[in-house]
Amino acid sequence: MNFEGKNNHEHTDTFISNGVRCPKAAIFDLDDTLAESFQAPSPEVTAALNQLQNRIPVAIMTGAGFPRIERQVLPAMESITSNFYLFPNSSSQCYTFKESEWHLEYNHIISPEERSKITEALHECMQSIDVIRDAPHFGQQIVDREAQIAFTIVGLEAPQEIKKGWDPDGAKRRAIVEMLSGKLSGYDILIGGASTIDITRKDINKASGVHWFSGHLGVAPQDMLYVGDALYPGGNDAVVIQTGVKTIQVSGPPETKKILDELLIACAS
Ligand SMILES: [Mg+2]
């Protein structure tokens, strides 16, 4: 695992284990961090999250929409407390849990006119950019969730191995993001998940989510921990680094599970 993008096991371990220092809040990405892309987290990961929210505030910050979290994550949680927060659609929305119900705390939607413009630009790219045109695709490629438009180049129905194998290092999507940035100024365009590009309003991203969470809890970002798989340049987790939040890069759910276990020990008292 990396700490703030560097190999620094010692510092990471100091932060989360040996009872030295438990973060004041922990934030987890969903796809390829808590769960395999588009899948539900394992029962072990869900159980650990459930336990951790009884000790410190815990958030899921993801490119996924609320309905997917509601379907794939929440039913397996034994009990949800007001210590559990959701930031779907790349933090363009926040849900808090109060009196046994989810409340939409804020919602930075993109106007219908702007969404048409974005969708049009994406359709143009699908015709004109070779790397997109030549990609295998299965089913819907553009998903409009009002606060975010997700562009899944290989399509939502693509088999897992195609989703994972099409652009494992993000190089194709970095090139696409560069071309899209020329057509769509005024938006945040970031690589997320295994084969997706997420588009949100300018400066609405996981960094704004971390700032909101920090303000809401009255806890400095420096005292919080962010765990994600896409902390590399251009990745949808990397934007959080500028907030000062402590970060741990993971290779996938098994490594996240280890971190959850260490956090449960570090935050036990
Ligand atoms: Mg991810």
Side-chain angles (χ1 to χ4, degrees):
M1 68 187 77
N2 292 345
F3 181 76
E4 291 179 338
K6 286 173 260 169
N7 279 322
N8 193 339
H9 288 250
E10 201 182 327
H11 200 168
T12 300
D13 290 344
T14 306
F15 189 67
I16 64 174
S17 66
N18 304 326
V20 176
R21 195 150 57 100
C22 167
K24 291 189 177 160
I27 305 167
F28 296 87
D29 168 52
L30 178 58
D31 282 318
D32 297 311
T33 299
L34 289 173
E36 299 293 343
S37 267
F38 303 102
Q39 310 291 306
S42 70
E44 294 75 25
V45 163
T46 312
L49 270 184
N50 198 84
Q51 268 184 284
L52 191 61
Q53 54 142 14
N54 291 318
R55 300 177 187 179
I56 54 170
V58 171
I60 296 180
M61 210 169 261
T62 173
F66 181 75
R68 200 187 122 204
I69 303 173
E70 204 175 25
R71 197 172 63 245
Q72 290 190 320
V73 182
L74 303 182
M77 296 276 294
E78 196 180 307
S79 61
I80 298 166
T81 72
S82 57
N83 241 2
F84 196 58
Y85 296 77
L86 301 174
F87 294 83
N89 289 319
S90 304
S91 296
S92 55
Q93 299 169 321
C94 172
Y95 286 82
T96 54
F97 196 73
K98 292 177 211 161
E99 291 161 2
S100 309
E101 277 181 21
W102 286 105
H103 294 264
L104 183 58
E105 201 65 49
Y106 66 74
N107 186 14
H108 296 299
I109 65 164
I110 307 173
S111 72
E113 297 74 28
E114 286 180 278
R115 270 146 47 211
S116 311
K117 196 177 83 180
I118 294 168
T119 307
E120 214 172 284
L122 292 178
H123 278 292
E124 274 172 36
C125 289
M126 282 152 77
Q127 300 304 320
S128 62
I129 299 177
D130 290 349
V131 73
I132 305 178
R133 203 179 43 216
D134 300 342
H137 60 267
F138 302 78
Q140 194 180 354
Q141 289 170 287
I142 300 172
V143 184
D144 179 350
R145 298 200 209 107
E146 293 191 334
Q148 171 179 276
I149 292 182
F151 183 30
T152 299
I153 291 101
V154 297
L156 284 183
E157 313 293 321
Q160 274 299 106
E161 62 269 25
I162 294 202
K163 278 181 181 161
K164 289 200 147 201
W166 176 71
D167 187 28
D169 60 359
K172 287 177 186 162
R173 282 173 292 165
R174 275 198 293 280
I176 295 168
V177 166
E178 203 164 304
M179 284 180 264
L180 275 176
S181 303
K183 285 180 184 288
L184 292 171
S185 53
Y187 301 95
D188 273 13
I189 307 173
L190 294 170
I191 294 172
S195 60
T196 304
I197 291 170
D198 294 319
I199 302 167
T200 54
R201 276 169 51 182
K202 188 89 192 146
D203 298 327
I204 301 301
N205 52 42
K206 291 185 174 195
S208 59
V210 169
H211 283 305
W212 187 91
F213 198 34
S214 160
H216 177 76
L217 297 174
V219 168
Q222 287 76 3
D223 294 326
M224 311 199 296
L225 176 68
Y226 184 98
V227 181
D229 69 292
L231 285 153
Y232 49 78
N236 72 344
D237 297 315
V239 290
V240 305
I241 294 169
Q242 64 185 271
T243 67
V245 69
K246 300 288 183 283
T247 60
I248 297 179
Q249 164 87 38
V250 290
S251 56
E255 204 171 3
T256 305
K257 174 63 173 49
K258 283 186 203 152
I259 291 164
L260 277 163
D261 289 342
E262 288 197 48
L263 285 171
L264 286 171
I265 295 168
C267 303
S269 51

